[in-house]
């Protein structure tokens, strides 16, 4: 592939999206560029404050537990308050928590602040995902989610490098910088991002049409979406396991912590370097095929970890499941937007986000227990099996719900008889002609 073709492909990947999306993209980049708390929290707790590794792990788990509550809360507020108010409020709440960590020293106070921070950080995500679904045409939604995910990882890579270089200033300084970056993100959203919550439908008389009320229970009763959430939970368990199991596995084989740092850095490097290319290659593909493929890549990559014996081999396994990550995350978000009613997009994204948070809380505990008990080989065999189960589930249970919509057929309009002898044969309204359904003009604009 030539340089010109690469440039052309990159332009096509980023073109055609509304200006509001790029302000949201910028806010994500700014927010993640200053994301120092989670990256350095365990080091701060153990090296700066002298707490045990057990306590540090508990505090990080509390952040995930806060996300379990924050995701459905953010989803409900997104539909009730609106997208922009929810984003601004939760970004400011997260900024306040980051600033508080620079001040508090009590163990219980730190635990409480991190728990609340988990609530705020996870509560903002349904509003972001709902905003993208609101403002981006259906056929570009998956591409938009991929670009936003790219910004998230690019910002995280910058934060990891910059935070490591600036750590000599002190962990509290990094937490203050995190608070400032998150506040700036809220300012960008407040000043530049329009509210995108769909307006209430209006009937023929001009009166608002009452929309069916959607509660969290209603969302969970949606069988296809419930299946999507459960399968995503399985994938998330597989995805989260390496972040705990991989360093322990490498340590058991005598590799140094610095080796793990190099290996896990491959994840961010691959995403930043190849997310746009992967998005181009998978554009317009069937979402069921992509979700199935991503689950298989997670299964293959994590399962092969049991066979790795060197840093290069471990890095190769990371590359495999990272490609699965790049395919899965935007496709799953687009599938969620596709299954959600317009007026309930926040709640649907909130329930989906809860599956990520549950995995973030359960997987570290489970992975650590398995490595410390039966051993790492059992962990990687289990992740491979779970990934395969998820792949089979996607392919067999969601093919109908996420199938490409067939080209709509215009309704047949009977023609009044012109003579009392015999009625004139009816004919269908041609697509694109006056009276044809709007879906005909948009039959190709199906969410990927």
């Amino acid at each position: 592939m030539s340089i010109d073709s690469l440039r052309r492909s990159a332009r096509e990947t980023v073109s055609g999206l509304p200006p509001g999306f790029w302000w949201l993209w910028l806010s994500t980049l700014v927010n993640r560029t200053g994301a120092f708390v989670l990256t350095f929290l365990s080091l701060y707790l153990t090296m700066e404050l002298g707490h045990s590794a057990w306590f540090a792990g508990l505090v990080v788990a509390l952040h995930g537990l806060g996300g379990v509550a924050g995701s459905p809360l953010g989803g409900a507020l997104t539909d009730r308050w609106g997208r922009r108010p929810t984003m601004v409020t939760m970004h400011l709440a997260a900024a306040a928590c980051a600033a508080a960590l620079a001040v508090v020293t009590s163990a219980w106070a730190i635990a409480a602040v991190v728990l609340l921070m988990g609530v705020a950080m996870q509560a903002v995500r349904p509003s972001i995902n709902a905003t993208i679904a609101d403002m981006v045409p259906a056929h570009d939604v998956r591409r938009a989610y991929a670009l936003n995910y790219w910004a998230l990882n690019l910002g995280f890579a910058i934060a990891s490098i910059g935070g490591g270089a600036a750590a000599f200033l002190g962990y509290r300084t990094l937490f203050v910088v995190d608070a400032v970056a998150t506040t700036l993100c809220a300012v960008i959203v407040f000043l530049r991002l329009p509210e995108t919550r769909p307006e209430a439908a209006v009937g023929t008389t001009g009166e608002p049409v009452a929309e069916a009320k959607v509660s969290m229970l209603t969302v969970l009763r949606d069988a296809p979406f419930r299946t999507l959430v459960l399968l995503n939970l399985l994938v998330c368990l597989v995805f989260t396991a390496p972040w705990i199991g991989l360093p322990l596995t490498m340590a058991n084989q005598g590799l140094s912590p610095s080796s793990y740092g190099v290996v896990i850095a491959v994840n961010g490097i691959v995403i930043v370097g190849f997310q746009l290319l992967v998005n181009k290659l998978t554009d317009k593909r069937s979402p069921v095929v992509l979700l199935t493929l991503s689950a298989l890549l997670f299964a293959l990559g994590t399962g092969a970890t049991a066979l790795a014996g060197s840093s290069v081999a471990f890095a190769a396994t990371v590359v495999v499941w990272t490609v699965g990550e790049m395919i899965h995350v935007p496709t799953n978000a687009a599938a969620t937007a596709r299954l959600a009613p317009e007026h309930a997009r926040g709640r649907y994204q909130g329930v989906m986000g809860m599956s990520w948070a549950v995995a973030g809380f359960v997987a570290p505990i489970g992975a650590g227990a398995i490595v410390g008990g039966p051993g790492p080989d059992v962990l990687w065999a289990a992740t491979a099996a779970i990934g395969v189960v998820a792949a089979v589930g996607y392919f067999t249970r969601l093919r109908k719900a996420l199938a490409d919509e067939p080209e709509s057929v215009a309704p047949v309009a009977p023609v009044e008889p012109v003579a009392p002898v015999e009625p004139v044969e009816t004919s269908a309204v041609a697509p694109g002609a006056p009276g044809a359904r709007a879906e005909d003009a948009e039959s190709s604009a199906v969410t990927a």
Side-chain angles (χ1 to χ4, degrees):
M1 184 178 289
S2 65
I3 299 297
D4 289 339
S5 62
L6 287 173
R7 289 175 179 172
R8 184 168 56 253
S9 177
R11 283 196 300 268
E12 291 173 355
T13 301
V14 301
S15 64
L17 297 173
F21 168 79
W22 291 110
W23 285 113
L24 183 63
W25 185 91
L26 178 62
S27 72
T28 298
L29 180 62
V30 169
N31 188 21
R32 294 298 293 183
T33 299
F36 298 122
V37 169
L38 286 182
T39 307
F40 297 95
L41 182 59
S42 60
L43 293 175
Y44 171 65
L45 292 172
T46 54
M47 299 181 65
E48 182 87 3
L49 299 183
H51 293 293
S52 66
W54 175 87
F55 178 76
L58 174 63
V59 171
V60 174
L62 285 176
H63 186 278
L65 184 62
V68 175
S71 190
L73 171 64
L77 293 178
T78 295
D79 290 335
R80 185 170 300 179
W81 284 2
R83 283 57 162 147
R84 192 174 71 153
T86 302
M87 273 189 266
V88 170
T89 301
M90 293 305 165
H91 279 316
L92 292 177
C97 290
L101 284 176
V103 178
V104 299
T105 56
S106 164
W108 292 110
I110 292 173
V113 170
V114 171
L115 177 67
L116 293 175
M117 192 174 192
V119 173
M121 289 181 65
Q122 193 67 32
V124 78
R125 292 179 182 176
S127 56
I128 294 174
N129 287 341
T131 298
I132 293 174
D134 292 339
M135 67 168 52
V136 176
H139 59 283
D140 282 331
V141 164
R142 199 184 69 83
R143 176 162 65 98
Y145 283 128
L147 287 169
N148 198 64
Y149 190 64
W150 181 58
L152 187 150
N153 282 277
L154 178 60
F156 182 76
I158 296 172
S160 299
I161 297 172
F168 68 90
L169 297 175
Y171 295 106
R172 289 184 173 88
T173 302
L174 295 181
F175 297 160
V176 171
V177 174
D178 191 328
V180 172
T182 308
T183 302
L184 178 58
C185 173
V187 170
I188 293 173
V189 171
F190 180 76
L191 295 179
R192 306 303 304 179
L193 193 67
E195 175 56 55
T196 62
R197 182 175 59 171
E199 298 180 358
V202 178
T204 55
T205 61
E207 295 294 327
V209 176
E211 295 172 328
K213 292 185 178 180
V214 178
S215 65
M216 289 299 170
L217 186 59
T218 307
V219 175
L220 293 175
R221 286 174 177 166
D222 184 335
F225 179 67
R226 185 174 65 242
T227 301
L228 184 68
V229 171
L230 292 175
L231 293 174
N232 184 68
L233 175 59
L234 294 181
V235 171
C236 291
L237 290 172
V238 177
F239 168 62
T240 308
W243 299 94
I244 301 299
L246 184 58
L248 297 177
T249 300
M250 294 180 66
N252 285 344
Q253 297 196 15
L255 297 174
S256 65
S258 60
S259 298
Y260 167 71
V262 173
V263 168
I264 202 62
V266 171
N267 173 257
I269 293 171
V270 170
I271 292 176
V272 172
F274 298 99
Q275 178 72 68
L276 299 185
L277 176 60
V278 169
N279 186 61
K280 180 67 177 177
L281 294 175
T282 57
D283 194 25
K284 312 303 182 186
R285 305 296 181 184
S286 164
V288 171
V289 171
L290 292 178
L291 291 171
T292 302
L293 175 61
S294 67
L296 290 175
L297 288 171
F298 274 117
L300 177 61
T302 58
T305 306
L307 305 176
S310 66
S311 295
V312 174
F314 282 116
T317 67
V318 172
V319 170
V320 174
W321 59 256
T322 297
V323 175
E325 177 188 355
M326 290 190 288
I327 295 172
H328 178 84
V329 173
T331 305
N332 182 73
T336 301
R338 179 169 175 170
L339 295 178
E342 280 191 0
H343 65 287
R345 280 174 174 159
R347 286 180 172 86
Y348 272 68
Q349 294 286 356
V351 172
M352 179 57 71
M354 189 166 59
S355 67
W356 287 91
V358 169
F361 178 69
V362 173
I365 298 174
I370 293 174
V371 172
D377 288 351
V378 175
L379 172 66
W380 305 124
T383 57
I386 294 172
V388 171
V389 169
V392 173
Y394 282 125
F395 194 73
T396 60
R397 301 302 301 273
L398 291 175
R399 292 177 67 182
K400 183 177 179 180
L402 296 179
D404 290 340
E405 296 174 0
E407 186 174 352
S408 56
V409 179
V412 175
V415 181
E416 292 293 333
V418 295
V421 188
E422 288 184 346
V424 178
E425 292 184 0
T426 59
S427 60
V429 180
R437 294 174 57 189
E439 291 92 323
D440 289 325
E442 301 172 358
S443 59
S444 61
V446 179
T447 305

